Amino acid sequence: MKSVYSLSILAVLIAILTTTGCEKDKCTRTQEYISYEPIYKRIEEMRIPATLVNAKSLEAPGKIFYYNGYLLINEINKGVHIIDNKTPENPVNVGFIELPGNLDMAVHNNILYADSYLDLVGIDISNPTAPVEVNRVQDVFQSFYAFDAVNGYLVEYKETPTKITIGCEDINWGRGIWFEGDVLMAESGAFDTSSGRGNSSGSVTPSVVAGGSMARFTVADEYLYTIDNWEIKVFDVRQALPALKNEIATQWGIETLFPLAGTLFVGSDSGLLIFDITNPESPQYLSSFNHATACDPVAVSGTTAFVTLRNGTECLGFVNQLDVLDVSDLTNPKLIRTYPMDNPHGLSVIDETLYLCEGAFGLKTFDVSNLNRISDNLLDKASGFYAYDVIVLPPGNHVMVVGQDGLYQFDATDRSDLKQISVIKINN
């Protein structure tokens, strides 16, 4: 028995030394990493007026907004694509608003409100093909950007995939994350930095204005609500220059906003928060529903809230599920049922139909007339693309999905048989 035991130990040691590349008492390991190089900018480089330029290809799309026959698609940190979508079978890329540092947006009374690093910018899009910057509120989003007296503002990180060979004598041996000077090195997969709502005849409601469920900007009753780290900021947008009226400290990890009938539903990575906004300048906390730590978009229909939870390192969680909540009593939301999902992202609910983005698993359509049997009522599944967020236009027959692969549009006249009518692919 002793000899067998010794041989087993020897076999394990040989396996370990072989896989770590040991040679003459030197061990090395080659592994894929991503270097995150900090990018700094001076205020004069950040505060550049919004400018219309020729149309550009989609490369890293983020948030999506539908406005009067046009699609506004955020190009992360660069600006906004303007897509003429009055004929969904043939969307036309008509221009690009250069707006550095842009991540979020909302539209109200022909004004596109968008962030540009520290500032809130108002852009008149009454003629979407000729947008004009009309106002700017400076220094309202400072908490997101670190300031260095020598280098300026830290605005983003440049990601560069690389392979590194590390010896076991190196101080970083076995570490998944470390700094080399001011450059962060991380194992591949340590961070997920992928991007923080017609019919086939083209007959769509011309006055519809709608945003997706990933929105961090939203408008209700002439007030703009925005997320800035752990705060909800309230702007009065009834006048030419938006006025910052309130800053509501909530909790770390708030992610999405969904307004409905004097109520603001706030998705966070640890739960759903509910605020009364009948006094729009002074949101009042009503209640919360806590869940496992995960990314948390929310959509509400009537007295039912649908909350998706997904895993991923940026979400700090390990669950993939749909929570269905009864919010008839806003002070006491109750769980109706939880449904396992693949990797749920954005969602939209209209006319007892739930459209659910499942990341790399595409788009799923559910009949939610029976809240206790949603998983049994899968109507259709569109796959072969990455679905991040979805907008569904009233009366529910025109579905638009944005993701890592591009912008997809579907005719949903028959909810159980979605028909793809067009796609704008990303230029990789």
Side-chain angles (χ1 to χ4, degrees), residues 117-178:
Y117 293 124
L118 307 176
D119 300 344
L120 174 66
V121 179
I123 302 171
D124 186 340
I125 56 169
S126 51
N127 178 1
T129 63
V132 178
E133 179 177 326
V134 292
N135 55 55
R136 180 181 290 256
V137 185
Q138 297 182 353
D139 301 324
V140 291
F141 301 125
Q142 294 190 57
S143 60
F144 190 72
Y145 299 98
F147 178 73
D148 180 89
V150 176
N151 298 311
Y153 287 93
L154 173 59
V155 297
E156 61 181 308
Y157 287 89
K158 179 182 178 181
E159 301 177 27
T160 305
T162 184
K163 287 186 178 182
I164 299 177
T165 300
I166 299 178
C168 57
E169 75 284 355
D170 193 301
I171 190 175
N172 296 313
W173 173 267
R175 292 184 176 181
I177 300 173
W178 75 89

Side-chain angles (χ1 to χ4, degrees), residues 353-374:
T353 304
L354 169 66
Y355 297 88
L356 179 66
C357 294
E358 283 267 45
F361 299 92
L363 177 73
K364 292 179 181 177
T365 307
F366 295 92
D367 182 334
V368 294
S369 56
N370 185 338
L371 298 176
N372 287 296
R373 295 183 61 86
I374 291 177

Side-chain angles (χ1 to χ4, degrees), residues 4 39 49 60 97 108 138 168 182 186 192 203 222 233 248 258-259 267 350 369 397 406 418 423:
V4 173
I39 305 298
I97 303 173
H108 180 63
Q138 297 182 353
C168 57
D182 60 354
D192 182 355
S203 175
E222 309 288 336
K233 295 190 172 180
I248 312 299
F258 190 100
I350 187 168
S369 56
N397 55 359
L418 299 186
V423 59

Side-chain angles (χ1 to χ4, degrees), residues 387-421:
Y388 171 72
D389 203 7
V390 57
I391 292 177
V392 182
L393 298 183
N397 55 359
H398 184 184
V399 177
M400 295 168 286
V401 181
V402 67
Q404 292 178 352
D405 308 322
L407 172 74
Y408 291 77
Q409 300 194 70
F410 297 89
D411 177 359
T413 304
D414 182 351
R415 299 179 304 162
S416 60
D417 185 20
L418 299 186
K419 292 181 171 61
Q420 182 177 313
I421 56 177

Side-chain angles (χ1 to χ4, degrees), residues 31-36 159-162 176-177 184-194 311-318:
Q31 190 166 337
E32 292 185 354
Y33 289 85
I34 297 177
S35 67
Y36 294 86
E159 301 177 27
T160 305
T162 184
I177 300 173
L184 175 66
M185 303 300 298
E187 291 180 356
S188 295
F191 301 106
D192 182 355
T193 55
S194 59
N311 65 6
T313 48
E314 91 283 12
C315 303
L316 304 176
F318 301 94

Side-chain angles (χ1 to χ4, degrees), residues 8 33 125 148 195 228 244 262 332 336 344 379 382 411 425:
S8 299
Y33 289 85
I125 56 169
D148 180 89
S195 353
D228 185 24
L244 177 60
N332 185 29
I336 297 174
L379 297 174
D411 177 359
K425 297 291 286 186

